[in-house]
Amino acid sequence: MGPESTIRSRQNPIYKQIRSLLRRDRRHEERAFLVEGPRFIADAQRFGATPLQLVFSESFAAGLELPPNQARLARVFDDELFASLTDTVTSQGMIAVFPFPDIPTPRNTIPFVLVADGIQDPGNLGTLIRSAAGAGVTRILTLPGTVDPWAP
């Protein structure tokens, strides 16, 4: 990926679309969310999720060689634009856009539901979701006033 393909403008439609996913209403309208960091992106792919786009900071992408199936999804943003897409203090230089998953409840399974009500801290909701998965929960419902489970 060379510098000629680097996105440098806040007016670029690709930048605007990805940036819009920082907002809850746009995530739900587009049915897509952001995942940051190579490890989390690899984990999502290992569990069958397919990214819609891969976004790299210019400094991270320098010399990066991607397999052809991922190279077509790749976008490189200059470091300043990339930083505006992330909440982390020290970014790892990689973000992926994933579609909301459609996870069917297995047939002949008794529903086991976690209802999250009023959880405000994304880390706490994440802990509940991971614990619920480990306990075999088949569905998670978040009530109004609960943090968005698809937040970055």
Side-chain angles (χ1 to χ4, degrees):
M1 288 186 263
E4 67 281 350
S5 62
T6 300
I7 296 171
R8 301 185 185 285
S9 170
R10 290 181 184 269
Q11 301 311 310
N12 183 287
I14 296 168
Y15 170 79
K16 286 181 174 183
Q17 188 271 330
I18 293 169
R19 178 128 173 100
S20 76
L21 295 176
L22 295 173
R23 297 188 0 235
R24 180 184 188 130
D25 63 326
R26 294 295 296 156
R27 284 191 297 275
H28 288 269
E29 186 177 310
E30 301 242 354
R31 300 202 42 79
F33 64 103
L34 303 176
V35 174
E36 184 175 354
R39 185 176 135 234
F40 292 129
I41 293 167
D43 285 350
Q45 290 176 302
R46 191 175 77 239
F47 286 104
T50 302
L52 301 170
Q53 291 189 59
L54 296 170
V55 181
F56 301 97
S57 68
E58 189 171 20
S59 58
F60 183 88
L64 183 66
E65 293 296 325
L66 293 173
N69 66 326
Q70 290 191 346
R72 67 179 175 75
L73 304 173
R75 304 290 182 261
V76 178
F77 288 32
D78 75 25
D79 290 348
E80 182 183 328
L81 281 183
F82 185 88
S84 71
L85 299 174
T86 177
D87 290 336
T88 58
V89 176
T90 306
S91 172
Q92 296 180 26
M94 184 177 183
I95 296 172
V97 177
F98 284 97
F100 281 6
D102 183 23
I103 304 170
T105 301
R107 290 173 135 346
N108 302 321
T109 301
I110 297 172
F112 184 18
V113 181
L114 169 69
V115 179
D117 184 13
I119 308 297
Q120 293 296 302
D121 183 284
N124 289 347
L125 183 60
T127 299
L128 285 172
I129 291 170
R130 287 187 298 278
S131 297
V137 165
T138 57
R139 181 85 53 208
I140 299 171
L141 303 175
T142 58
L143 299 181
T146 299
V147 67
D148 183 6
W150 305 108

